[in-house]
Amino acid sequence: MVVFRIERRSGLPAYLQIVHQVEQALRMGALVEGDKLPTAAQVAAATKVNPNTTLKAYRELERSGLVEVRQGAGSFITRTLATPQTAPESPLRTRLGAWMLEAREQGLTAREVTTLFDAALGEAFPETSSLPAHTPAG
């Protein structure tokens, strides 16, 4: 199950944040084909957005072929975006997870890890330096 977080100061519309979070969950293998998305009411209650915002996001996901809306049953994932490199059991993901745990054990906060990650990302992928920095959850 994906937990949506809406960053109100991001400048990105809430419905697009939901779309991007579903796409990210699909890339990372957190959502797979056949999974049911939470209802619009559940997302609205959790994120404090209007249910119509969630419905707009789900329609966008449906248009892109990632979600199928089944009348009376809900919205279901129709395909994954995961690759062998991003799947939960991939060696890269496993090493990154171990690094995150080590950083936490060393006393780093989520914000410090994000800052460190963004700096390393900018060094490895200079073309991403113009993208907005990631905001840690919580």
Side-chain angles (χ1 to χ4, degrees):
M1 172 79 71
V2 65
V3 177
F4 295 108
R5 288 186 171 75
I6 303 302
E7 179 58 47
R8 307 223 185 274
R9 291 175 272 147
S10 75
L12 193 63
Y15 86 96
L16 282 179
Q17 290 183 50
I18 293 169
V19 168
H20 292 168
Q21 289 173 40
V22 169
E23 291 171 341
Q24 183 67 13
L26 288 167
R27 276 187 208 90
M28 300 310 294
L31 285 173
V32 297
E33 188 174 335
D35 282 351
K36 183 177 179 182
L37 291 173
T39 67
Q42 290 170 325
V43 176
T47 62
K48 309 292 189 259
V49 299
N50 188 303
N52 288 330
T53 299
T54 304
L55 293 173
K56 184 175 182 178
Y58 285 9
R59 282 192 300 273
E60 183 66 28
L61 291 163
E62 185 178 25
R63 270 194 289 278
S64 65
L66 297 173
V67 168
E68 174 185 40
V69 177
R70 299 179 196 156
Q71 197 62 33
S75 300
F76 295 85
I77 299 298
T78 56
R79 66 183 176 96
T80 185
L81 295 176
T83 66
Q85 295 83 9
T86 62
E89 66 279 354
S90 77
L92 286 174
R93 174 104 181 253
T94 300
R95 290 197 315 262
L96 180 59
W99 182 86
M100 293 285 180
L101 289 175
E102 182 180 346
R104 186 176 186 173
E105 289 169 1
Q106 294 289 323
L108 271 68
T109 65
R111 187 169 308 281
E112 290 168 330
V113 168
T114 299
T115 300
L116 188 56
F117 176 83
D118 285 342
L121 180 66
E123 291 169 10
F125 297 91
E127 66 276 10
T128 64
S129 62
S130 64
L131 296 176
H134 297 88
T135 304

